[in-house]
């Protein structure tokens, strides 16, 4: 063992200092180590301080990864968790602060301010005084080997405050402090030149202590108005405590599932998905729904007992992650989920077996692979709040779907005869289907996917908050925020609650808000438009253009958690992911057939009394209508047939009520549709769909030609 690592534990004035075999440990009498004994602290310095923006990745003990493959470099110690809230507010102190909204608890990397300066949700810690004696202190609670600091300026619409340089001090008791040294001088580290770019500074040598202070030395003055403000993350490895007889009580929770807990770039994601299909070839299938702007395929993992085939009566479910490329947790959770379902299915877990055999599951882990690759190359802590959010073309995909809300509300305002109004299957607007329309390749691919598969239920996984939102996402009169419910408000609230109430973080009544809104007041669910106005969202498009109900799940405060936190995040979300999938079996389902031939009738309209939103049957005549428990009067109708109504009772069971319909042909004066004919109200929808596909192909051909020329 001595050939690999020699771990020397020295007890120096109450501090454990860990030194690797590669370290040249020959402290002289005047070295910083000796000086530190008198001050109850330890510090090793040997060279000038290093400031780097090299991305972080990995966990302690991993072999550093080469950056030649385009991936991030790895550092030996992970973040303590200021950004992820693993570090509690009580662990943060400051020399002073201007007001509560600028207190030390706001000095967290990437924390976002509210719209108004001066409220309790401001975007940094800001000192009351403008001098070099101000500091932000972090209590790690245990002896920790500190290796570096990441700094950001203040997040604010109205103010510009950054720290240009700073010093660092360490302590074991928060009373006596030892500075980080640069030879015989106190080290000064580089801070920020702008407010949003995270800047990483690595210490010359790791220092073991319990407390660390960040002490600003220079900052943007703005005449005499510049404040001392910063957001920070601290890197450190917890030192094992030999006196702790119960280490499991203080060690972070890990997952019992044997999954690949790390961040995967595009190549690694493909390899992982392929390995899952090799382990479970009978119930999995990988397919692509299209390509990104840069040509990366949008891969989907299908999990079903008959992959590649829609089974009559079996509902289709989808999870979509990575719409915003820098919101990486959803991507990793879906990769974990496909591994988990495969493993548990093989082991005979009856809950998973039932899900796989009764549901056709589709998992799209990366809708925006171009954006993810940009964020991944920077790393989990250095990609900031926005790098990789948008597509390569700069498009925010959650504002990029056709705005069908405005189409619907305009029709309601102009049409006096409400019987002529439609409430579902809205066609895509003509201007949206042209080659010149500013529609991302990825958005076009997902729309085509939605139209090709009769999805019933979906969730769109995001990051940066902890809440579940449900449609509508767009306000009716373009107000900044306003509660804007759908006709299925009660069921959407049920769906959101199903996820939120089983999520370990959301269901914790003692958790603090992530940024600038306390969603605990709303039981961790909210109407999307009541949070903020999002025209062109995927949720609203899915509801108005297809049969599919969809919510957005904001998974964590940290958009791009460090790899060391992924096992805990999986534990937080595993039950929620399973419970939400099971909701696809709520409500009623059945097959609408021709009474004489018993053939399934496609595109039949299913209407539920008192709910102004219809759905349609799939190609085989099967349908699924998500409903809360209760008694409903349901009517099925199709062009060329007489409508039929019946009462359907939805119970609290975890399986749907079967409500089949057999429609009689209408009198000969209105003959039934011939094979291949389309109802009049669907023709426009299909024409626009075809045009969107044609223009997408033309755009892809043009891009391929340009790449060859280059």
């Amino acid at each position: 063992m001595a050939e690999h690592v020699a771990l020397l534990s020295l007890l120096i004035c109450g501090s454990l200092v860990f030194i690797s075999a590669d370290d040249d440990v020959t402290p002289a009498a005047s070295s910083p180590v000796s000086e530190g004994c008198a001050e109850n602290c330890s510090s090793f310095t040997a060279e000038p301080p290093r400031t780097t923006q090299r991305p972080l990745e990995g966990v302690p003990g991993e072999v550093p990864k080469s950056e030649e493959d385009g991936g991030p470099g790895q550092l030996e110690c992970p973040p303590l968790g200021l950004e992820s809230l693993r570090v509690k507010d009580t662990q943060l102190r400051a020399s002073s602060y201007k007001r509560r909204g600028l207190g030390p608890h706001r000095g967290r990397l990437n924390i976002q301010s509210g719209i108004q300066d001066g409220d309790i949700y401001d975007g940094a810690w800001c000192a009351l005084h403008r001098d070099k004696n101000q500091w932000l202190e972090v209590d790690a609670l245990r002896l920790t080997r500190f290796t570096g600091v990441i700094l950001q300026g203040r997040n604010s619409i109205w103010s510009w405050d950054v720290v240009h340089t700073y010093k660092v001090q360490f302590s074991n008791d928060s009373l006596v402090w030892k500075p980080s040294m640069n030879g015989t001088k106190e080290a000064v580290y580089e801070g920020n030149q702008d407010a949003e770019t995270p800047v990483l500074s690595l210490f010359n040598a790791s220092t073991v202590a319990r407390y660390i202070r960040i002490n600003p030395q220079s900052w943007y003055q703005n005449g005499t108005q510049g404040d001392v403000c910063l957001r920070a993350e601290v890197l450190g490895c917890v030192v094992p405590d030999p006196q702790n007889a119960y280490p499991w009580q203080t060690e972070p929770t890990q997952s019992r599932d044997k999954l690949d807990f790390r961040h995967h770039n595009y190549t690694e994601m493909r390899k992982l998905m392929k390995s899952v299909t090799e382990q479970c070839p009978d119930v999995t299938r990988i397919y692509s729904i299209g390509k990104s702007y840069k040509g990366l395929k949008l891969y989907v993992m299908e999990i079903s007992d008959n992959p590649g085939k829609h089974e009559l009566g079996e509902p289709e479910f989808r999870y979509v992650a990575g719409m915003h490329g820098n919101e990486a947790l959803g991507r990793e959770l879906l990769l974990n989920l496909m591994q988990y379902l495969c493993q548990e299915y093989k082991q005979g877990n009856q809950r998973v077996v039932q899900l796989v055999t009764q549901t056709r599951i589709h998992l799209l882990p990366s809708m925006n692979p171009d954006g993810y690759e940009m964020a991944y190359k920077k790393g989990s802590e250095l990609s900031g709040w926005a790098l990789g959010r948008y597509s390569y073309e700069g498009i925010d995909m959650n504002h990029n779907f056709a705005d069908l809300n405005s189409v619907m509300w305009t029709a309601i305002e102009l049409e006096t005869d409400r019987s002529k109004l439609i409430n579902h299957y809205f066609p895509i607007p003509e201007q949206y289907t042209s080659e010149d329309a500013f529609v991302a390749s990825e958005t076009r691919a997902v729309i085509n996917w939605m139209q090709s598969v009769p999805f019933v239920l979906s969730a769109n996984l995001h990051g940066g908050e902890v809440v579940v939102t449900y449609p509508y996402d767009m306000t009716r009169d373009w107000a900044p925020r306003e509660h804007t419910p759908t006709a299925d408000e009660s069921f959407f609230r049920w769906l959101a609650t199903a996820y939120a109430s089983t999520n370990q973080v959301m269901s914790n009544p003692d958790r603090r808000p992530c940024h600038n809104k306390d969603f605990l007041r709303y039981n961790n669910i909210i109407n999307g438009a009541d949070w903020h106005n999002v025209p062109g969202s995927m949720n609203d498009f899915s509801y108005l253009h297809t049969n599919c109900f969809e919510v957005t799940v904001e998974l964590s405060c940290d958009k791009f958690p460090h790899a060391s936190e992924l096992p805990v995040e999986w534990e937080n979300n595993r039950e929620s992911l399973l419970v939400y999938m099971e909701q696809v079996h709520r409500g009623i389902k059945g097959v609408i057939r021709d009474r004489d031939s018993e053939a399934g009738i496609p595109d039949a309209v299913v209407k539920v009394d008192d709910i102004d939103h219809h759905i349609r049957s799939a190609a085989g005549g099967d349908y699924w209508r998500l409903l809360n428990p209760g008694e409903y009067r349901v009517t099925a109708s199709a062009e060329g047939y007489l409508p039929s109504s019946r009462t359907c009772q939805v119970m609290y069971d975890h399986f749907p009520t079967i409500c089949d319909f057999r429609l009689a042909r209408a009198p000969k004066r209105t003959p039934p549709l011939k094979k291949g004919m389309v109802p009049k109200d669907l023709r426009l929808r299909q024409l626009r769909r075809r045009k969107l596909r044609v223009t997408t192909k033309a755009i892809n051909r043009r891009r391929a030609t340009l790449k060859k020329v280059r």
Side-chain angles (χ1 to χ4, degrees), residues 194-356:
D194 66 76
E196 294 301 327
T197 304
V199 174
L200 165 66
S201 292
L202 298 174
F203 304 147
N204 303 321
S206 57
T207 301
V208 175
R210 173 175 167 175
Y211 302 90
I212 183 172
R213 277 183 180 176
I214 301 169
N215 173 211
Q217 295 298 297
S218 64
W219 51 92
Y220 177 63
Q221 297 290 345
N222 191 24
T224 59
Q225 302 302 313
D227 288 319
V228 180
C229 301
L230 61 84
R231 294 175 287 168
E233 182 62 86
V234 176
L235 308 179
C237 299
V238 173
V239 175
D241 184 356
Q243 297 182 348
N244 185 4
Y246 306 99
W248 56 269
Q249 292 180 336
T250 53
E251 292 297 324
T253 304
Q254 297 297 312
S255 175
R256 65 177 183 271
D257 299 317
K258 305 301 181 184
L259 308 176
D260 188 6
F261 294 117
R262 61 191 175 96
H263 288 293
H264 299 77
N265 64 15
Y266 179 74
T267 302
E268 293 165 341
M269 180 187 75
R270 288 195 308 174
K271 289 179 180 178
L272 186 147
M273 295 176 74
K274 184 179 179 181
S275 71
V276 172
T277 60
E278 290 172 348
Q279 293 175 41
C280 297
D282 297 332
V283 294
T284 60
R285 178 178 74 104
I286 300 174
Y287 65 97
S288 171
I289 62 171
K291 293 183 178 180
S292 70
Y293 181 86
K294 296 188 72 177
L296 302 181
K297 291 185 178 180
L298 308 184
Y299 286 112
V300 177
M301 173 67 76
E302 178 189 342
I303 304 175
S304 169
D305 57 342
N306 283 292
K309 177 184 177 183
H310 172 73
E311 297 181 71
L312 192 71
E314 184 170 282
E316 307 262 358
F317 177 92
R318 72 170 182 259
Y319 272 130
V320 177
M323 169 181 275
H324 295 146
N326 63 332
E327 296 169 12
L329 179 56
R331 174 191 180 106
E332 297 308 322
L333 287 178
L334 292 194
L335 295 177
N336 293 153
L337 180 61
M338 59 183 71
Q339 295 174 77
Y340 176 82
L341 292 175
C342 171
Q343 293 174 9
E344 295 300 307
Y345 181 84
K346 290 175 66 177
Q347 294 174 11
N349 181 324
Q350 286 305 299
R351 182 185 188 186
V352 172
V353 169
Q354 187 173 358
L355 257 178
V356 171

Side-chain angles (χ1 to χ4, degrees), residues 424 592 601-607 614-617 634-645 661 663-664 679 681:
H424 70 296
I592 302 171
I601 303 174
D603 293 313
V605 177
V606 178
K607 172 186 175 183
H614 310 336
I615 57 101
R616 291 184 180 256
S617 60
V634 184
T635 300
S637 61
E639 192 163 324
Y641 291 89
L642 296 174
S644 175
S645 299
F661 290 89
L663 303 186
D681 57 345

Side-chain angles (χ1 to χ4, degrees), residues 602 641 665 672-678:
Y641 291 89
R665 293 188 179 186
L673 291 172
K674 294 180 182 179
K675 188 174 182 181
M677 290 185 65
V678 180

Side-chain angles (χ1 to χ4, degrees), residues 114-126:
I115 295 176
Q116 300 292 333
D117 274 1
D119 61 12
I120 62 172
Y121 299 119
D122 223 316
W125 159 69
C126 289

Side-chain angles (χ1 to χ4, degrees), residues 534-596:
V534 184
S537 78
M538 187 162 72
N539 288 3
D540 289 0
F541 180 85
S542 180
Y543 182 69
L544 293 174
H545 188 67
T546 74
N547 289 333
C548 186
F549 287 29
E550 182 175 291
V551 303
T552 291
V553 182
E554 299 282 351
L555 294 163
S556 67
C557 302
D558 188 347
K559 287 185 175 184
F560 204 139
H562 190 270
S564 61
E565 298 184 20
L566 293 179
V568 176
E569 293 292 357
W570 167 250
E571 289 296 316
N572 291 339
N573 288 277
R574 180 184 55 220
E575 181 65 16
S576 304
L577 292 166
L578 296 174
V579 166
Y580 187 81
M581 282 194 289
E582 291 167 342
Q583 304 314 304
V584 76
H585 297 285
R586 293 270 178 192
I588 61 175
K589 76 172 186 177
V591 181
I592 302 171
R593 303 179 187 274
D594 184 299
R595 190 176 67 180
D596 299 325

